[in-house]
């Protein structure tokens, strides 16, 4: 089996996907813009061959790299990056090279455009926030008259919380329209809820072979816009209603052979006409793993190896890795540089040395949403996790 992995060196931990594929006997072919001799040795060792392009943004260069591998090794069976930024590029390459083991260009609307996702949530009978595509100021005012302030505006096709804003009043609304870039934006009523997720590895029949999820008590929009510290955590046990909503979405979106991260709101209060406190609402689908070090967090929380489970899914359409009953809450807490914290790094490490699984700087490309210096720590009890976060951010 020949698999092309796009950008195997970023994020740094993604070489683990390649390593486990190679361990399963897959021919792993890397394409990236990093010089070969600057790749982490563990990344180099995980690849059969690496093709450097000057820019991954240049489709012609990447196309030629795929063509070279196809000429040298034969039919390409998979093209993957597991990265939101390259989803459309991956799909175009699959379409152009007739690689059918993944989403094609024709699938992109339903999984990349937030407005298009709404129809699939309706099919799954999962409510969502009411929305409006921001065509002009007059129609936006009519929409807000129906749903009230505040509203949230963001690119209809965007990554994470990029350029996402909460609009509180008419002055802010007019300022947004005066400076709105020439790309489609979606406006939604503000949901008073906490973001939670369904993270799963799905086989070729649409069945989950791994399931987990996270909770984000802090709004990513606020973290980005306020340059705030960052905190979220993997739950010890996935809530039954999140599991049910996630599986419904897998079905209606036609997910096959993928590692996914589906986001939902859990209402913190009754909010007409959306639902009652505690209800689940659809937020957005991400047809790739949750980014950065989150795969490692799934490993720490579930005492498992999601890199291997994913590779086994690719190679064998199943995994023999047994599910562990040894589970934890695994938290991600990341500080912003330049702030005065009560406890120094050394004090945090000393106090929580038995709980901390990983620590280090966040790559600059991810720091806007994930802070500058992160700590991963796992605890049996949720209260202990929150105590850690309070000490970290004090």
């Amino acid at each position: 089996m020949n698999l092309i992995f796009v950008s195997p060196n970023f994020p740094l931990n993604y070489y683990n996907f390649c390593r486990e594929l190679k361990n399963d006997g897959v021919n792993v072919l890397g394409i990236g813009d990093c010089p070969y001799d600057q790749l982490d040795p563990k990344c180099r060792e995980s690849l059969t061959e690496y093709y450097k392009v000057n820019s991954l943004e240049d489709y012609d260069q990447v196309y030629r790299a795929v063509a070279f591998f196809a000429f040298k090794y034969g039919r390409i069976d998979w093209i993957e990056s597991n990265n939101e930024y390259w989803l459309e590029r991956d799909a175009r390459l699959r379409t152009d090279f007739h690689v059918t083991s993944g989403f094609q260009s024709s699938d992109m609307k339903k999984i990349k455009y937030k407005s298009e996702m709404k129809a699939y949530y309706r099919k799954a009978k999962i409510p969502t926030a009411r929305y409006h595509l921001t065509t002009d100021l007059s129609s936006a005012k009519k929409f807000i008259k129906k749903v009230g302030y505040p509203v949230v505006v963001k690119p209809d096709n965007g990554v994470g919380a990029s350029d996402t804003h909460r609009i509180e009043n008419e002055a802010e609304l007019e300022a947004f329209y005066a400076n709105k870039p020439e790309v489609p934006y979606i406006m939604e009523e503000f949901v008073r809820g906490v973001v939670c997720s369904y993270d799963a590895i799905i086989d070729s029949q649409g069945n989950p072979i791994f399931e987990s999820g996270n909770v984000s008590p802090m709004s990513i929009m606020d973290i980005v816009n306020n340059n705030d510290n960052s905190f979220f955590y993997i739950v010890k046990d996935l809530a039954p209603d999140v599991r049910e909503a996630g599986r419904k979405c897998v079905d209606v979106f036609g997910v096959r052979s993928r590692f996914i991260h589906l986001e939902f709101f859990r209402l913190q209060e009754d909010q007409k006409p959306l639902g009652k406190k505690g209800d689940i609402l659809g937020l957005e689908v991400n047809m790739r793993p949750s980014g950065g070090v989150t795969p490692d967090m799934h490993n720490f929380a579930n005492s498992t190896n999601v890199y291997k489970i994913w590779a086994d899914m690719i190679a064998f359409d199943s995994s023999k890795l047994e599910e562990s009953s040894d589970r934890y809450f695994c938290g991600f807490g990341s500080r912003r540089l330049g702030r005065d914290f009560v406890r120094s790094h050394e004090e945090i490490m000393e106090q929580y040395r038995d709980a901390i699984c990983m620590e280090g700087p966040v790559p600059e490309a991810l720091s806007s949403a994930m802070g500058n210096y992160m700590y991963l720590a796992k605890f049996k009890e949720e209260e202990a996790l929150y105590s850690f976060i309070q000490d970290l951010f004090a």
Side-chain angles (χ1 to χ4, degrees):
M1 178 185 290
N2 295 319
L3 181 144
I4 290 176
F5 203 99
V6 179
S7 189
N9 58 300
F10 186 85
L12 295 175
N13 52 316
Y14 273 30
Y15 81 87
N16 287 292
F17 288 116
C18 300
R19 181 193 63 194
E20 296 298 344
L21 283 168
K22 193 172 184 181
N23 289 341
D24 281 344
V26 176
N27 205 31
V28 188
L29 309 167
I31 300 175
D33 54 11
C34 178
Y36 180 76
D37 59 0
Q38 293 179 24
L39 293 174
D40 186 292
K42 290 176 287 191
C43 182
R44 290 201 300 266
E45 292 164 5
S46 301
L47 303 173
T48 301
E49 188 169 349
Y50 179 75
Y51 190 114
K52 181 194 176 296
V53 295
N54 293 328
S55 171
L56 285 171
E57 302 282 357
D58 187 332
Y59 184 76
D60 288 341
Q61 289 189 43
V62 180
Y63 181 96
R64 287 196 295 272
V66 176
F68 169 79
F69 282 142
F71 175 78
K72 183 172 181 178
Y73 294 97
R75 177 179 174 81
I76 303 302
D77 301 290
W78 290 79
I79 298 175
E80 193 54 79
S81 67
N82 280 343
N83 194 314
E84 180 76 26
Y85 191 78
W86 302 117
L87 277 185
E88 290 173 283
R89 171 64 49 81
D90 296 346
R92 184 178 173 187
L93 289 168
R94 291 189 202 104
T95 301
D96 287 350
F97 284 91
H98 308 290
V99 177
T100 58
S101 53
F103 286 115
Q104 306 291 299
S105 292
S106 58
D107 298 313
M108 285 298 100
K109 266 195 171 183
K110 71 179 181 182
I111 66 172
K112 287 292 291 179
Y113 286 82
K114 296 171 179 64
S115 59
E116 296 285 340
M117 297 173 192
K118 302 281 187 178
Y120 291 87
Y121 283 123
R122 282 196 296 273
K123 287 182 184 179
K125 296 182 170 53
I126 298 172
T128 63
R130 290 171 288 180
Y131 76 101
H132 163 74
L133 290 175
T134 56
T135 50
D136 58 75
L137 180 60
S138 175
S139 60
K141 288 182 177 179
K142 290 179 183 177
F143 172 72
I144 293 171
K145 188 173 182 180
K146 180 169 64 175
V147 303
Y149 285 107
V151 292
V152 174
V153 291
K154 51 193 171 185
D156 196 19
N157 179 8
V159 178
S162 60
D163 204 24
T164 300
H165 305 280
R166 174 171 165 168
I167 294 177
E168 300 276 358
N169 51 54
E170 191 162 315
E172 292 180 0
L173 180 69
E174 292 177 352
F176 167 74
Y177 272 90
N179 299 285
K180 185 177 96 62
E182 291 300 317
V183 296
Y185 275 67
I186 185 172
M187 177 180 291
E188 294 180 304
E189 64 183 311
F190 184 77
V191 176
R192 296 171 180 84
V194 170
V195 175
C196 54
S197 77
Y198 173 79
D199 296 73
I201 298 173
I202 307 296
D203 70 14
S204 67
Q205 303 302 309
N207 302 309
I209 58 176
F210 169 80
E211 293 175 300
S212 186
N214 72 35
V215 172
S216 301
M218 302 175 70
S219 160
I220 296 179
M221 175 178 65
D222 292 339
I223 292 169
V224 173
N225 292 336
N226 302 333
N227 197 36
D228 208 347
N229 301 317
S230 179
F231 166 52
F232 69 95
Y233 62 96
I234 307 298
V235 295
K236 186 161 71 170
D237 296 297
L238 187 61
D241 54 357
V242 175
R243 187 189 306 271
E244 180 184 7
R247 290 183 176 184
K248 285 181 178 178
C249 287
V250 166
D251 182 45
V252 299
F253 280 93
V255 180
R256 299 291 183 271
S257 303
R258 293 202 70 75
F259 197 155
I260 56 171
H261 172 68
L262 311 182
E263 294 181 341
F264 301 92
F265 283 117
R266 185 180 296 282
L267 290 180
Q268 292 181 294
E269 58 187 70
D270 293 356
Q271 189 172 348
K272 294 183 178 180
L274 298 179
K276 299 285 189 180
K277 180 179 179 180
D279 285 353
I280 292 292
L281 275 65
L283 174 52
E284 65 180 61
V285 299
N286 300 279
M287 297 302 177
R288 43 74 184 173
S290 184
V293 295
T294 313
D296 300 292
M297 295 175 64
H298 285 304
N299 288 346
F300 296 135
N302 295 282
S303 301
T304 191
N305 182 350
V306 296
Y307 300 110
K308 176 169 175 52
I309 297 172
W310 178 82
D312 288 351
M313 177 271 294
I314 298 289
F316 313 121
D317 200 27
S318 64
S319 180
K320 294 181 180 178
L321 199 62
E322 293 187 6
E323 185 176 343
S324 173
S325 59
D326 192 19
R327 296 176 182 274
Y328 301 84
F329 293 94
C330 183
F332 173 100
S334 184
R335 290 172 160 181
R336 288 290 177 190
L337 296 179
R339 296 197 174 186
D340 231 359
F341 294 100
V342 172
R343 289 173 175 79
S344 67
H345 167 74
E346 291 74 19
E347 289 170 332
I348 289 292
M349 294 299 297
E350 174 64 24
Q351 184 174 350
Y352 291 100
R353 63 186 173 202
D354 293 334
I356 291 174
C357 311
M358 185 185 295
E359 50 86 20
V362 175
E364 187 176 351
L366 304 175
S367 63
S368 64
M370 303 187 80
N372 300 114
Y373 199 94
M374 62 93 184
Y375 301 80
L376 304 188
K378 65 180 185 180
F379 302 88
K380 282 291 187 181
E381 303 300 329
E382 196 171 12
E383 293 79 7
L385 168 63
Y386 272 91
S387 293
F388 164 71
I389 291 299
Q390 287 173 355
D391 285 341
L392 185 65
F393 291 165

